[in-house]
Amino acid sequence: MIQPRPRTIPEATVARLAVYLRALTTFAEGGRSTVSSGELAEAAGVNPAGLRKDLSHLGPCGVRGVGYEVQTLRDRIARVLGVERSRACVLVGIGNLGSALADYAGFGSRGFEFVGLFDAATARIGQRIGGQTVRPLDELADVVATTQASIGVITTPADVAQSVCDRLAAAGVRSILNFAPVPLVAPAGVDVRKVDLSVELQVLAFLGQQRLDDAAVDGAALGEPA
Amino acid sequence: MIQPRPRTIPEATVARLAVYLRALTTFAEGGRSTVSSGELAEAAGVNPAGLRKDLSHLGPCGVRGVGYEVQTLRDRIARVLGVERSRACVLVGIGNLGSALADYAGFGSRGFEFVGLFDAATARIGQRIGGQTVRPLDELADVVATTQASIGVITTPADVAQSVCDRLAAAGVRSILNFAPVPLVAPAGVDVRKVDLSVELQVLAFLGQQRLDDAAVDGAALGEPA
DNA sequence: GCGACTTTGTTCCTGCGTTCACAAGCGGTT
DNA sequence: AACCGCTTGTGAACGCAGGAACAAAGTCGC
């Protein structure tokens, strides 16, 4: 049995496909019917050749000499990414960040719907955020089972993140997005993806500092007084 | 003039150094005086060999047969990352996400201090969040100049992000962390780093879907009925 | 004091991602 | 109908990150 096309799309490509999808939506709203790889690449902030290679994973979907049909390409990327059907998500840890995510309009428009918000603090239970009511952690397994939620988001403090991860996995969640600054271990069959905001800031700060240091050294090499 | 050690540390290594720094702090609080690369790697969720290679960029800092001295290594990483001195940051766009970041304790403990919160909506101006008062955008240049803020964080809607980026760069900010879902173009000498929360979720969803598809194909290949 | 064990630091290698460059193909024009 | 310009899709080369294996070095026990 020959696979006509390898189903394994590189993760970096998947991430960019999501960006292309958003750019294509903007083009469609602007009334454009076709775009070239150059235009789309500029809108997405990537290299045109790389964009074409990314799209090649979906099979031929452009017309040579013309470009890509906006609507067709948009639909195809959406189907590959699975945006066509809505995905139920649960969110654990309703602090500042959790509240912001629960209320973030950008998720709903991309097919992600929060069907359950959970927190351990009794003070938070009952609060209404983004159309949902915060529930106690005890109800997590029930909600995941009844809603068939496949994605869990962890915005708890670091010390309870692993325990929450275990409970999510046990309840049947298949994918976890972790904002807590600890590496999580999950059973096989459960994907974990980490977003670490402090690390992003520290990398940024380091790059800025490094640039200053380099400039200082270059200046010294050019004969500046010590 | 020979550089005893190349000053260019890979960006991926820098990101992991920040993780090691956090793990080392945890070890220090636990009273540990030394750790091996294996222990630290497990706490950071990486491969021990890779960890040693990362640390090799800082020069020899361990003792063979023993491991790494927690306090010494922590100080060295902190110095390389520039955590020792506090960095002034400004934040533009005080929506849900912006408020959460302004109030996020994880930044302050890592040497990042928000010295200005800005928003265009008059309704938000004057609000107090995390010890700061939200100000109008007009005051951005003044605040950046007086506080010598070097880092700007953008949590505005996409359509105004580029304009905010321009104003930040003009005001003298050197590094920008962008949460808006658009690629920003900044003048030379200004670093931009992007965090796209919807993309993270979409990648996660795709991986989960792909896993299901693969399982279905595997099952069929094993002789399941069609 | 010496040997064995432990752990670091480095080197090699494999695989992946990115970029450049070119051939193939389609539409418009004469 | 044939030519020309434009754009896609792909093949090759380059650079980089990650992982495994090995040599160097220091400590602990005898």
Side-chain angles (χ1 to χ4, degrees):
Chain A
M1 183 192 292
I2 297 175
Q3 303 291 349
R5 181 164 304 282
R7 256 189 339 286
T8 63
I9 300 181
E11 196 169 308
T13 293
V14 174
R16 283 189 296 265
L17 284 178
V19 177
Y20 305 156
L21 183 62
R22 186 155 43 202
L24 284 167
T25 301
T26 304
F27 275 115
E29 289 171 352
R32 291 290 300 272
S33 60
T34 60
V35 283
S36 67
S37 63
E39 291 171 302
L40 189 53
E42 185 180 355
V46 301
N47 185 296
L51 181 141
R52 290 200 297 272
K53 179 159 289 202
D54 286 338
L55 295 184
S56 74
H57 287 103
L58 315 179
C61 44
V63 179
R64 302 182 187 219
V66 177
Y68 300 92
E69 196 181 347
V70 172
Q71 200 59 42
T72 306
L73 184 58
R74 205 191 90 83
D75 291 346
R76 186 182 291 211
I77 294 179
R79 190 168 58 249
V80 169
L81 291 182
V83 182
E84 44 184 8
R85 65 168 173 278
S86 178
R87 296 175 183 281
C89 311
V90 293
L91 198 156
V92 184
I94 315 298
N96 290 308
L97 183 58
S99 303
L101 294 181
D103 221 9
Y104 182 39
F107 291 154
S109 64
R110 317 205 103 67
F112 298 101
E113 186 190 1
F114 286 112
V115 297
L117 310 179
F118 301 90
D119 202 295
T122 54
R124 291 225 170 84
I125 293 168
Q127 283 185 6
R128 290 196 65 81
I129 298 175
Q132 286 283 325
T133 304
V134 179
R135 311 184 191 205
L137 264 176
D138 304 331
E139 302 179 11
L140 189 138
D142 285 344
V143 171
V144 171
T146 57
T147 61
Q148 288 292 304
S150 61
I151 296 179
V153 181
I154 299 179
T155 50
T156 66
D159 52 359
V160 297
Q162 182 62 58
S163 136
V164 169
C165 174
D166 296 341
R167 296 182 70 160
L168 283 170
V173 166
R174 299 284 180 90
S175 306
I176 294 175
L177 187 60
N178 174 35
F179 285 86
V182 282
L184 298 182
V185 292
V190 176
D191 287 328
V192 177
R193 204 169 166 83
K194 185 180 173 186
V195 177
D196 196 322
L197 300 177
S198 325
V199 166
E200 298 295 330
L201 260 187
Q202 286 197 330
V203 171
L204 203 54
F206 172 81
L207 294 177
Q209 170 186 270
Q210 192 182 45
R211 197 180 48 234
L212 288 181
D213 293 349
D214 289 353
V217 171
D218 292 345
L222 289 173
E224 279 189 358
Chain B
M1 183 196 289
I2 297 176
Q3 303 291 348
R5 180 163 306 281
R7 256 188 341 285
T8 64
I9 299 180
E11 197 169 308
T13 294
V14 174
R16 284 189 295 265
L17 285 177
V19 177
Y20 305 156
L21 183 61
R22 186 156 43 203
L24 284 167
T25 302
T26 305
F27 275 114
E29 288 170 353
R32 292 290 299 271
S33 59
T34 60
V35 283
S36 67
S37 63
E39 291 172 302
L40 188 54
E42 185 180 356
V46 300
N47 185 296
L51 182 141
R52 291 200 296 274
K53 181 173 292 193
D54 286 338
L55 294 184
S56 74
H57 287 103
L58 315 178
C61 42
V63 180
R64 302 182 187 218
V66 178
Y68 300 92
E69 195 180 348
V70 172
Q71 200 60 42
T72 306
L73 184 58
R74 206 191 87 85
D75 291 347
R76 186 181 290 209
I77 294 179
R79 190 168 59 250
V80 169
L81 291 182
V83 181
E84 44 184 7
R85 66 168 172 277
S86 177
R87 295 176 183 278
C89 311
V90 294
L91 199 158
V92 184
I94 313 299
N96 290 308
L97 183 57
S99 302
L101 294 182
D103 221 10
Y104 182 38
F107 291 154
S109 64
R110 316 204 103 68
F112 297 101
E113 185 189 3
F114 286 112
V115 297
L117 311 179
F118 301 90
D119 203 293
T122 54
R124 291 225 170 84
I125 293 168
Q127 282 185 8
R128 290 196 64 82
I129 298 174
Q132 286 283 326
T133 303
V134 179
R135 312 185 191 203
L137 265 177
D138 304 332
E139 303 179 10
L140 190 141
D142 285 345
V143 171
V144 171
T146 58
T147 62
Q148 288 292 305
S150 61
I151 297 178
V153 181
I154 298 180
T155 51
T156 66
D159 52 358
V160 297
Q162 181 63 58
S163 135
V164 169
C165 174
D166 296 340
R167 296 181 70 160
L168 284 171
V173 165
R174 300 283 182 87
S175 307
I176 294 176
L177 186 61
N178 175 34
F179 285 86
V182 282
L184 298 181
V185 292
V190 176
D191 287 328
V192 177
R193 205 170 164 82
K194 185 180 173 185
V195 176
D196 196 322
L197 300 178
S198 328
V199 166
E200 298 295 331
L201 261 188
Q202 286 198 329
V203 171
L204 202 53
F206 172 81
L207 294 177
Q209 170 186 273
Q210 193 181 45
R211 196 180 50 233
L212 289 180
D213 293 349
D214 289 354
V217 171
D218 292 347
L222 288 173
E224 278 190 0

